[in-house]
Amino acid sequence: MSVGVFIDGAAGTTGLEIRERLASRGDVDLLLLPEDRRRDAAARRAALNDADVVILCLPDDAAREAVALVDNPRTRIIDASSAHRVADGWTYGFPELGFDVAGAMRVSNPGCYPTGFLALLAPLVRAGLVPADWPLVVHGTSGYSGGGKAMIAEFRDGGASAHRAYALGLRHKHVAEMTLRAGLAVAPIFLPSVANTYRGMILEVPLPWSRLRPDMPPSRIADALDAAFADCPLVRVSHDEVGFVRIEDDAGTDRMTLHAFADPVEGQVRLVATLDNLGKGAAGAAVQNLNIMAGLDPMAGLACQARSADPPPTL
């Protein structure tokens, strides 16, 4: 028996990516509105309430409005916006970190930057290797597809630089999510930027290990990450000795790769995560949560090897 899924916002970047992952599956029945009824309020309300699972790919305010339109106790919701990531009554959609997605009625997808940050830091905080009140710094660079249609058009028209730092006021909306979900007592300093590449993401967190844990070797970090993600096919901990890590290393996939580089002489550690901002950072995470909530194969529709790095066709 197939699961009825309605993607509200299916014409947006994340919606198209989700639809691409679901389109050929026999265990999912996509509920689609014809072009001339997409803005029909009655048709949209009906679709929201007819679906077994609704996936919201909308701006925050529109996502909240959509939730209010669901007036039955049966329909389950996955919200890919940032509207409910720290809200009461919503389950955080990061199953690898132990959140009970399977039994949830309302699931909030993690943000793309928080996904990498939390994968690196949450296991270390939980293991007592990084104090909850340590002043952390995280730098992240994303492909421009994370900025939506306007930013995509700007970069493709040649009107944008090769690399752009933003959120210079240090009040990015992901900070609250990072702080809460990592179990931190002090908000990290978040330094986001966007690069002139369509998709892909790289995050880095430096740790002065000799000050944090002078009694422990830096290898304890990799041990903690290994233990946290041992049975997680979409998260891999790399032990390879590499000379560089690229923003595109996991682009076009639904996986994430974690690295812990260390200088034991100076006692410094450089944590690095790579993922696809549209894969594990958005659409891939939504499909993974859908699979788990519906009791389907958790890996159905997901790719650990690269798909095309090009954007999916528009509707």
Side-chain angles (χ1 to χ4, degrees):
M1 185 174 180
S2 61
V3 178
V5 177
F6 176 59
I7 305 170
D8 196 3
T13 306
T14 299
L16 290 168
E17 292 269 341
I18 293 172
R19 183 173 175 177
E20 181 185 35
R21 289 162 173 76
L22 300 180
S24 61
R25 289 178 52 176
D27 54 358
V28 171
D29 179 18
L30 276 175
L31 309 181
L32 303 174
L33 291 178
E35 178 69 29
D36 61 350
R37 301 196 69 192
R38 280 193 198 158
R39 298 187 182 277
D40 184 322
R44 179 170 170 245
R45 179 189 285 270
L48 286 165
N49 284 279
D50 287 344
D52 298 310
V53 180
V54 168
I55 305 178
L56 304 178
C57 302
L58 303 166
D60 288 3
D61 287 344
R64 295 184 185 96
E65 292 172 2
V67 171
L69 293 175
V70 177
D71 55 14
N72 73 82
R74 176 186 58 83
T75 297
R76 303 168 82 179
I77 299 175
I78 300 169
D79 184 7
S81 82
S82 61
H84 299 102
R85 289 175 184 160
V86 296
D88 292 338
W90 286 75
T91 298
Y92 195 59
F94 203 150
E96 290 94 344
L97 290 179
F99 295 97
D100 183 16
V101 172
M105 291 298 296
R106 303 287 185 266
V107 171
S108 181
N109 246 30
C112 52
Y113 287 115
T115 296
F117 174 77
L118 294 172
L120 292 170
L121 265 298
L124 307 185
V125 175
R126 292 175 180 181
L129 299 177
V130 173
D133 61 353
W134 189 262
L136 293 164
V137 175
V138 53
H139 176 266
T141 301
S142 173
Y144 60 76
S145 55
K149 291 183 178 180
M151 183 176 287
I152 291 171
E154 182 183 1
F155 272 87
R156 287 187 170 167
D157 291 344
S161 60
H163 184 271
R164 175 194 300 172
Y166 68 100
L168 302 180
L170 303 175
R171 301 289 294 178
H172 195 284
K173 64 181 179 180
H174 286 330
V175 172
E177 178 185 353
M178 292 176 173
T179 305
L180 175 66
R181 302 305 182 182
L184 299 175
V186 176
I189 299 174
F190 179 37
L191 312 174
S193 59
V194 59
N196 193 1
T197 184
Y198 180 71
R199 62 197 307 156
M201 174 169 280
I202 185 168
L203 289 97
E204 299 189 64
V205 181
L207 295 177
W209 190 250
S210 60
R211 294 191 61 189
L212 279 170
R213 290 289 179 257
D215 57 328
M216 296 181 185
S219 60
R220 287 290 298 274
I221 292 177
D223 292 342
L225 295 176
D226 280 334
F229 300 111
D231 300 315
C232 302
L234 292 174
V235 182
R236 58 182 184 173
V237 181
S238 175
H239 296 273
D240 298 335
E241 293 186 8
V242 297
F244 54 85
V245 179
R246 305 171 303 174
I247 191 173
E248 66 267 26
D249 279 352
D250 289 303
T253 78
D254 296 303
R255 71 182 182 228
M256 174 167 48
T257 303
L258 310 179
H259 305 263
F261 302 107
D263 177 354
V265 176
E266 294 295 333
Q268 297 174 341
V269 171
R270 185 175 180 177
L271 303 177
V272 182
T274 55
L275 63 154
D276 188 333
N277 58 298
L278 298 179
K280 184 60 174 164
V287 171
Q288 180 186 10
N289 287 326
L290 166 66
N291 291 338
I292 294 171
M293 293 166 72
L296 306 174
D297 175 0
M299 290 294 293
L302 301 175
C304 285
Q305 300 301 318
R307 300 179 177 91
S308 168
D310 295 328
T314 57
L315 292 178

